[in-house]
Amino acid sequence: MTYTELVNAIKAYTENYDSDFESYIPTFVRQTETRVYNSVQIPALRRNVTGLLTAENKYLSAPSDFLAVYSLAVEDQEGQYHYLLDKDVNFIREAYPTPTDLGLPLYYAIFGPTVVNNSVTTELTFILGPTPNQAYNVEMHYYYYPESIVTAGTTWLGDNFDPILLYGSLREAYLFMKGEVDLIQNVDAKYNEAMGQLKRLGDGLERQDAYRSGQVRVKVT
């Protein structure tokens, strides 16, 4: 489903073609996308990025589209990957209290927003422990906010799981229109049904295979 098809479906389902209503449809869609991306860890929405740690600098900037870490690894001189353990900032501060505690990083924590020219930005920073004793290649797998279907026109959700976009947007639309309670409940039920199917895919089927987990079976009664 493309964004144009989604907009047409929302107007047809609600039978609302008012221009003021249509101007809010992008908001309905974006709110739905945010709810979905924070409810299901869809492997198809995982991204990989590589970078370089600076010697004697214990901070690492997060990607601009960062949502959550899947894994963070440092590559040593022999090309071996060392996966860092996620800890609290206070643990790293206690274990490595000074910036001169140097070595191959073992731990990381989300430190807080980046500060540029004494101004706090919206981008996050990681703190590492110990402080890198030299420049290391670093690789991060992370979940991210993909470009909205509102601006992209097509997205993974629209191509592979459009019911969640449709019913989520309709839910927001009926709330905006002050729709009848039973109508909102019906749409909410359809959204929850679609969410259950998406979680089965993202948190289930895409995280196992028949070799390790066996085939999906329904108990015979």
Side-chain angles (χ1 to χ4, degrees), residues 49 65 83 101 109 180 191 197 216:
V49 66
D65 56 357
Y83 285 89
D101 293 318
E180 297 293 334
Y191 172 82
Q197 294 171 349
V216 177

Side-chain angles (χ1 to χ4, degrees), residues 72-85 104-106 136 139:
L72 180 61
V74 172
E75 184 181 357
D76 65 19
Q77 300 91 325
E78 286 74 34
Q80 293 183 331
Y81 279 79
H82 300 266
Y83 285 89
L84 279 61
L85 298 179
L104 177 74
L106 302 174
Y136 290 102
E139 181 179 64

Side-chain angles (χ1 to χ4, degrees), residues 8 22 39 43 63 68 76 89 98-99 101 104 117 123 127 138 145 148 160 198 201 204 207 217 221:
N8 291 336
E22 185 173 356
S39 299
D76 65 19
V89 174
T98 67
D101 293 318
L104 177 74
N117 297 326
E123 309 305 334
I127 184 172
V138 63
Y145 282 122
S148 173
N160 297 276
L198 183 59
L201 173 65
R207 298 178 183 274
R217 293 176 294 179
T221 58

Side-chain angles (χ1 to χ4, degrees):
M1 176 180 283
T2 67
Y3 178 64
T4 300
E5 292 170 335
L6 178 60
V7 170
N8 291 336
I10 292 171
K11 291 191 292 186
Y13 272 68
T14 60
E15 297 182 338
N16 191 337
Y17 297 90
D18 181 75
S19 59
D20 183 57
F21 170 79
E22 185 173 356
S23 69
Y24 281 95
I25 290 180
T27 301
F28 306 154
V29 176
R30 287 192 173 99
Q31 288 176 334
T32 298
E33 290 173 325
T34 299
R35 291 178 66 192
V36 171
Y37 297 147
N38 283 277
S39 299
V40 186
Q41 293 185 336
I42 307 170
L45 300 180
R46 190 186 302 162
R47 179 166 284 180
N48 170 271
V49 66
T50 58
L52 187 67
L53 297 181
T54 304
E56 301 183 11
N57 180 2
K58 66 190 311 173
Y59 299 102
L60 174 68
S61 296
S64 59
D65 56 357
F66 172 80
L67 178 58
V69 176
Y70 183 78
S71 67
L72 180 61
V74 172
E75 184 181 357
D76 65 19
Q77 300 91 325
E78 286 74 34
Q80 293 183 331
Y81 279 79
H82 300 266
Y83 285 89
L84 279 61
L85 298 179
D86 183 15
K87 293 289 186 178
D88 293 328
V89 174
N90 52 10
F91 172 90
I92 295 177
R93 290 294 200 197
E94 179 74 19
Y96 309 100
T98 67
T100 55
D101 293 318
L102 305 179
L104 177 74
L106 302 174
Y107 309 101
Y108 76 94
I110 295 179
F111 185 72
T114 304
V115 178
V116 178
N117 297 326
N118 296 321
S119 297
V120 178
T121 71
T122 59
E123 309 305 334
L124 292 173
T125 300
F126 299 100
I127 184 172
L128 307 174
T131 302
N133 60 343
Q134 64 181 58
Y136 290 102
N137 290 323
V138 63
E139 181 179 64
M140 179 188 295
H141 292 267
Y142 66 98
Y143 293 101
Y144 72 106
Y145 282 122
E147 184 180 1
S148 173
I149 195 173
V150 174
T151 54
T154 59
T155 60
W156 186 91
L157 276 181
D159 292 341
N160 297 276
F161 218 88
D162 54 340
I164 199 76
L165 283 178
L166 175 60
Y167 292 116
S169 299
L170 285 174
R171 179 183 182 277
E172 300 298 332
Y174 283 125
L175 288 172
F176 172 82
M177 296 167 58
K178 309 298 189 296
E180 297 293 334
V181 174
D182 58 342
L183 183 59
I184 295 175
Q185 289 176 340
N186 289 337
V187 173
D188 202 38
K190 295 294 290 184
Y191 172 82
N192 290 332
E193 178 184 347
M195 177 60 73
Q197 294 171 349
L198 183 59
K199 288 184 71 66
R200 178 177 181 271
L201 173 65
D203 295 338
L205 294 177
E206 290 190 334
R207 298 178 183 274
Q208 63 183 21
D209 58 27
Y211 180 74
R212 294 190 62 188
S213 307
Q215 298 186 56
V216 177
R217 293 176 294 179
V218 177
K219 185 178 180 180
V220 178
T221 58

